Each structure stands twice: as C-alpha cells, then as structure tokens.
Amino acid sequence: MLSLDNVEIVYEDVILACKGVSLAVPSDGIIALLGSNGAGKTSTLRAITGLLDTHRGRIATGTIRLEDREITRATPADVVASGIAQVMEGRRVLVDFTVEENLRVGGHTQPRSGIPQSLDRIYTMFPLLADRRRDRAGYLSGGEQQMLAIGRALMARPRYLLLDEPSLGLAPRIVEQIRDLIVRINQSGTGVLLVEQNAAMALSIATHGYVMENGRIVMDGSAATLRDDANIQEFYLGLG
Ligand code: ATP
C-alpha cells in the first residue's frame, strides 16, 4: 500500500496547494484521482515523487508511506529505487533520442545486466515500440509518445505507477488503447494512481476514486459509487 496521511503542500511558503490530503493506493488497485484544473492533483503526485523541491514547494505536514516505510520528503532517486515510477503530464520523452535510448534512460536505476530482459518485456507489451525502436522519439505520434513515456517508467520495474493525465490531447481510439494498457499493467502486479480529467475513462477502470477540489479530497468511494453519484455525473461526466 502507498498512502498519504493528512499531507499539506505549500509553494513558496505561501500558496497552500493541498490542505490535508489522505489517500491510499493498494498494490493491486487502480485508484483514480479526479478534479478540475488547479485542484492539487499534480502537487499530490509531486509530493509522492519528491519533485516539489524543483517547483519551490514542500510538504508542510503529514506523512507518506510505502508499505511499512515512511517516504515523506524522500529524494526522487530514493522514491524510484523504492518502487514508485511516474509518468508526468505532457509525456516528456527525449525527442532527439531513439525509442530504445529513451527506454534505457528509464532503466538506469536497474542493474545493467537486467536491461535486455526489461527491454524485451516492454517490447512484448508494446509491439509498436519494438517496431520503432531505432526511430527518434520525436517522430512518434502523440499516442505513441505517451506509450513510450509509460514504457520508460516501467523500465524501472515499479510496484506502483503514477500517471498524470495520460489521455490528455489524445484521440478517443488512442485513449482506449492507453486505458487497456493501464489495466494490463495493473494485472501484471502494479498498483496505479491515475490522475485524470477524463473522469469517464478513469472511472471505467478504477477500483476506487477520490475527487479533489481546492486542495482537499471532497469525496471518495468505489468507482461504481462515483459513477452513480449525481454531482459526479453533472460536473465530471457531463451527464447533468
Ligand atoms: P492541473 O490539472 O491544472 O495540473 P492540478 O489539480 O494538478 O491542476 P496543481 O497543479 O497541483 O493542480 O495546482 C494546485 C495549486 O497549486 C494551484 O492553485 C496552482 O496554481 C498552485 N501551484 C502549482 N504549482 C505551483 C508552483 N510551482 N508555484 C506556485 N503555485 C503552484
């Protein structure tokens, strides 16, 4: 289990982005974190991965735990080494590097001897990356770059994968592929924390969901409960 208990996040010592966030990601779950722009979702991910520093933010109070270990304020390298990998919003692949070079970057925390096996695993999971392994990442389509970003994160062999808006800007057919991929990653034994504005997609695969507004979790429940909720239908699923 990866868990946050009452985490408060401040930027530049004044802007309170998260006002006591508690949530849990079981190792076999897909947890959706929903909320509108500026709700604090990305800040929550940064708190887990140790990336607040680089944005002049910090965890003011609260704790983050991975299994029986406290990882509050751990460095990004420690977080990856402890089994958590993140796919950041906007994909961020290295456009001048080949597909395979990008994947190797993702595996740099692993022993070198394990890299060929990890590459094989990723190429089996993503045949299109295998076909394009020698192409520059910048030549891939948006959907392919997102797959590469996910594949790169998986090279670290994480037990938990954090995804920030993986469907953003992608065509519906590609969003479906990404969704199926997330399910497969979860089935292969990886807990997933899925930040999404596409609530319909997230709730179609999540086991549990949290809704964030203005730095607080305002609702949580099973994905089925959230899908049936009138407010969620109106504000997040466009069914109102
Ligand atoms: P989005 O979907 O737009 O990324 P979000 O739910 O992920 O939204 P955050 O990006 O976590 O929300 O932002 C939460 C709050 O923290 C917002 O009010 C935002 O303006 C503020 N914030 C985020 N990053 C910084 C920063 N580096 N410096 C100051 N304030 C920040």
Side-chain angles (χ1 to χ4, degrees):
M1 174 101 86
L2 165 66
S3 61
L4 278 71
D5 184 21
N6 206 21
V7 170
E8 259 187 30
I9 298 168
V10 285
Y11 288 103
E12 300 179 13
D13 284 331
V14 285
I15 301 158
L16 198 53
C18 288
K19 304 166 185 166
V21 168
S22 299
L23 59 83
V25 184
S27 58
D28 59 355
I30 299 180
I31 304 304
L33 180 56
L34 311 176
S36 48
N37 273 333
K41 306 176 304 292
T42 298
S43 299
T44 301
L45 295 186
R46 286 179 188 153
I48 299 170
T49 48
L51 290 172
L52 280 171
D53 271 12
T54 50
H55 299 269
R56 296 208 276 172
R58 65 184 173 85
I59 297 173
T61 59
T63 47
I64 304 179
R65 291 184 175 279
L66 176 64
E67 321 300 2
D68 51 4
R69 220 185 118 200
E70 189 180 331
I71 57 163
T72 324
R73 303 183 190 85
T75 63
D78 278 347
V79 172
V80 175
S82 69
I84 299 173
Q86 181 180 357
V87 180
M88 286 195 258
E89 188 181 330
R91 297 186 278 276
R92 295 168 198 273
V93 294
L94 303 166
V95 290
D96 292 330
F97 285 57
T98 67
V99 165
E100 184 150 315
E101 285 164 347
N102 269 275
L103 292 175
R104 285 180 184 278
V105 169
H108 78 279
T109 54
Q110 299 297 300
R112 276 178 148 241
S113 56
I115 297 285
Q117 198 195 356
S118 294
L119 281 171
D120 280 350
R121 231 179 97 241
I122 301 299
Y123 287 144
T124 306
M125 199 169 217
F126 306 79
L128 73 90
L129 294 183
D131 293 342
R132 308 204 55 184
R133 67 177 81 186
R134 288 187 190 82
D135 290 349
R136 274 167 57 167
Y139 294 149
L140 302 184
S141 69
E144 290 166 346
Q145 288 191 21
Q146 185 61 273
M147 305 239 178
L148 176 56
I150 295 172
R152 186 174 61 179
L154 292 177
M155 286 291 290
R157 295 184 163 267
R159 285 177 293 156
Y160 293 87
L161 183 66
L162 317 181
L163 295 159
D164 198 355
E165 307 266 6
S167 75
L168 194 71
L170 300 178
R173 187 176 53 84
I174 312 292
V175 173
E176 254 175 54
Q177 289 176 14
I178 301 274
R179 186 189 61 185
D180 294 348
L181 186 61
I182 295 169
V183 171
R184 274 194 288 142
I185 291 167
N186 175 247
Q187 284 168 346
S188 71
T190 307
V192 175
L193 178 57
L194 174 60
V195 166
E196 261 298 342
Q197 292 208 24
N198 184 342
M201 181 277 234
L203 292 179
S204 73
I205 55 172
T207 43
H208 197 92
Y210 293 84
V211 181
M212 246 184 132
E213 294 293 347
N214 294 318
R216 294 183 206 281
I217 303 288
V218 294
M219 192 189 293
D220 84 279
S222 71
T225 305
L226 294 182
R227 276 198 306 267
D228 289 343
D229 183 273
N231 285 321
I232 299 281
Q233 292 193 350
E234 182 176 350
F235 296 112
Y236 293 97
L237 298 171
L239 301 173

